[in-house]
Amino acid sequence: MNARIRLHDLEFAPYLSEDAIQTRVCELGAVLSAQYAGQTPLFISILSGAFMFASDLIRHFSGDCEIAFVKLRSYSGTQSTGQVQSVIGLELELAGRPIVIVEDIVDRGRTLHYFMEQLRLEHPASVSVVALLHKPDAAEYQVPIDHLGFSIENKFVVGYGLDYEGLGRNLPAIYQLASD
């Protein structure tokens, strides 16, 4: 993970190793297993970025669970568009169910804020948010993150599900935009 990578026209430097990510995901899985012991939570993964995190996370969840996916979009290139679009929505009954939202990264918080407002209209029993990454310096919306993998600087990152113009999602580690 010492080498820089190039995606399209940009260069990225190593930021979080695969080992660090997997260790933290395992810890989060154990915490969620204890929190939802005896329940069957519905994990809702926000596509496309959270798919790897969600996959690894539920493998570390020791109880019964279900998983569903929604696709929300607010980025174009390395910048937020300021608009949240629902591309794929939920078609499950959510009333009375414990929900765990699995998000790859919370920066401005707009996407998660929008989704949680929509989710509350369905009257779930509870809603918990687990995010792999959070950029507190970028926050515009205060959204609750119940379980956090890593708090990071306000830099553009790729890897482990996160992309730049479609590339980089398959990387097992996370890289940040090189500043030099």
Side-chain angles (χ1 to χ4, degrees):
M1 169 150 179
N2 294 331
R4 290 183 174 211
I5 60 167
R6 185 167 206 75
L7 301 175
H8 295 296
D9 57 332
L10 298 179
E11 192 168 290
F12 295 85
Y15 191 68
L16 289 170
S17 71
E18 179 180 8
D19 287 343
I21 294 166
Q22 290 305 317
T23 297
R24 187 64 183 132
V25 172
C26 182
E27 293 167 355
L28 290 168
V31 168
L32 290 167
S33 295
Q35 179 178 343
Y36 291 99
Q39 300 179 58
T40 305
L42 172 63
F43 286 81
I44 300 176
S45 175
I46 309 295
L47 295 175
S48 291
F51 78 99
M52 287 179 78
F53 177 42
S55 173
D56 288 344
L57 183 65
I58 65 168
R59 283 194 299 234
H60 292 291
F61 184 81
S62 62
D64 291 335
C65 68
E66 294 181 62
I67 188 160
F69 302 90
V70 296
K71 184 159 182 145
L72 305 171
R73 180 180 18 215
S74 67
Y75 261 78
S76 178
T78 63
Q79 299 295 315
S80 174
T81 63
Q83 302 291 322
V84 178
Q85 300 172 338
S86 179
V87 182
I88 299 172
L90 284 172
E91 296 181 9
L92 297 170
E93 178 62 40
L94 303 180
R97 300 186 72 179
I99 306 295
V100 179
I101 299 171
V102 182
E103 181 65 291
D104 56 351
I105 187 166
V106 178
D107 46 27
R108 287 177 175 78
R110 180 179 292 115
T111 302
L112 192 54
H113 175 79
Y114 166 84
F115 183 60
M116 290 182 76
E117 281 186 349
Q118 300 303 307
L119 195 60
R120 285 191 181 98
L121 298 175
E122 301 296 324
H123 307 289
S126 63
V127 177
S128 178
V129 174
V130 58
L132 179 65
L133 305 172
H134 179 230
K135 295 180 184 178
D137 292 340
E140 292 177 8
Y141 293 81
Q142 295 304 314
V143 292
I145 301 173
D146 301 287
H147 306 287
L148 178 62
F150 302 93
S151 183
I152 67 170
E153 298 175 53
N154 190 13
K155 292 189 176 184
F156 188 76
V157 291
V158 297
Y160 196 65
L162 299 152
D163 76 304
Y164 169 55
E165 295 294 328
L167 298 181
R169 291 191 196 278
N170 61 317
L171 299 168
I174 294 177
Y175 295 77
Q176 71 179 1
L177 187 61
S179 56
D180 53 66

